Amino acid sequence: MPSLAESGGREGSGQLSAPRLRPGTPERAGLDPDELAHLVREFHRLTDGDRPWAAGAVLVAGRGPVIAVEEAAGWAVRYAAYDEATGTGVQLPRRDRVPMTAHTAFDLASLTKLFTSVAAVQQLERGTLGIDARVGAYLPDFTAAAEYGITVRHLLTHTSGLRPELPLYDCPDDRARRALLRAEEPVTAPGGAYGYSDLNMLLLQHVLERLTRRPLDVLVRDGITRPLGMTATGFGPCPDAAATEDQRRPWAKADRGMLRGEVHDENAWALGGVAGHAGLFSTAGDLAVFCRTLLAGGSYGTARILGPDYVELLLSPPGLGFALDQPWFMGDLAGHGAAGHTGFTGTSLVLDPSTDTFLVLLANTVHPRRGPADNGPRAAAATRLARAVRGVSGAGA
């Protein structure tokens, strides 16, 4: 087992401790209480009705070290199945449903990419990984990546030219999956246009594991979640998590039935549940700690997972793993360096260094079946938080 310093996390490094999160009032957080009241009302409407935006959701928002909003709504488990004939979910009797709580864990889906990115930047800080080093230097057996000169920077910025995904879930075994990934050639020239791809984080996972000789779940645990006290965060299974999808073809890529506590992403499932692009489970409270750590320059309490310069590198344009200033889910928080990500299952987080605010909105929008993404509620919630900052600032606070 590596020490915290070896894996990236550090404790007792001689610096002043960073304040830990604590619950408080909007006023103590420096936020407009009226705007936050609107935010809470709008949040609870998201799970109302026969066809809600999500079966259930959890919201945590704050500024500085103060959590000003922590709310849960709806159901962690509402449906037994999806009925193709009616196009609706088969609802469980109320007595058999599982209510959502503020401590419910969620399948994070692509929010996992943020943790893989932090694990990579930890290796940059240690000097064991070069951001412009070629992937082939670490993975010479990944012949296509080596031939086309794909670099670590290309993976972290989604400019590798690789297509969005591969059907690893259709491969008969791990050897076939690995062979498919090794041979995958970019469809556009590396270093060119942005092209979001799960394959970037899968290759980055292989780089990190080859470099450190430790699996990704250990790197994330020892370098990020354990030093930060994020005890509810880890790769699955997670039996008490919010349910996701009645996963069946043709709308899904595998026939697995109603999922709860097993990773939703089909490729992550095929890879055993630990993947660079998906597989983590967590709670809104734990993710608030993650956001606060980055807003505080990489420290939380007495723990430090990154130095301030490397947090700045992580969150500077174009962003390493993080999306920057995207109004489609960040609303009016976007525009001054806000960073975050969304996940296919209905998860999202935003942190805004310019206002020292954070917003975590977790929902099981794919329960009982996936559909077209509606990011309007995410953007609206972020806009309410931005207005809460302006409302106080406008009053001269």
Side-chain angles (χ1 to χ4, degrees), residues 3-150:
S3 68
L4 288 173
E6 289 173 334
S7 59
R10 294 170 175 84
E11 292 196 57
S13 56
Q15 63 183 36
L16 295 175
S17 63
R20 294 176 177 271
L21 287 172
R22 63 183 187 275
T25 63
E27 292 84 355
R28 185 170 290 276
L31 296 169
D32 186 319
D34 292 334
E35 287 293 345
L36 292 191
H38 283 300
L39 169 61
V40 170
R41 284 195 295 271
E42 291 165 359
F43 166 74
H44 280 276
R45 294 190 194 114
L46 298 177
T47 60
D48 288 345
D50 293 332
R51 292 180 179 268
W53 178 70
V58 179
L59 173 71
V60 172
R63 190 179 192 187
V66 180
I67 293 176
V69 175
E70 184 178 42
E71 296 284 331
W75 305 95
V77 183
R78 177 173 177 173
Y79 303 100
Y82 175 75
D83 186 341
E84 295 179 76
T86 63
T88 59
V90 179
Q91 297 198 63
L92 290 163
R94 186 170 287 265
R95 66 179 181 275
D96 295 330
R97 300 180 194 176
V98 179
M100 192 69 76
T101 75
H103 305 293
T104 299
F106 287 78
D107 179 338
L108 296 186
S110 284
L111 295 193
T112 302
K113 293 180 172 72
L114 304 183
F115 290 80
T116 305
S117 299
V118 169
V121 174
Q122 287 176 334
Q123 297 302 318
L124 297 181
E125 183 177 27
R126 288 185 61 201
T128 56
L129 182 67
I131 191 167
D132 289 313
R134 295 192 173 200
V135 170
Y138 304 98
L139 303 172
D141 49 326
F142 281 62
T143 53
E147 178 183 350
Y148 285 86
I150 293 174

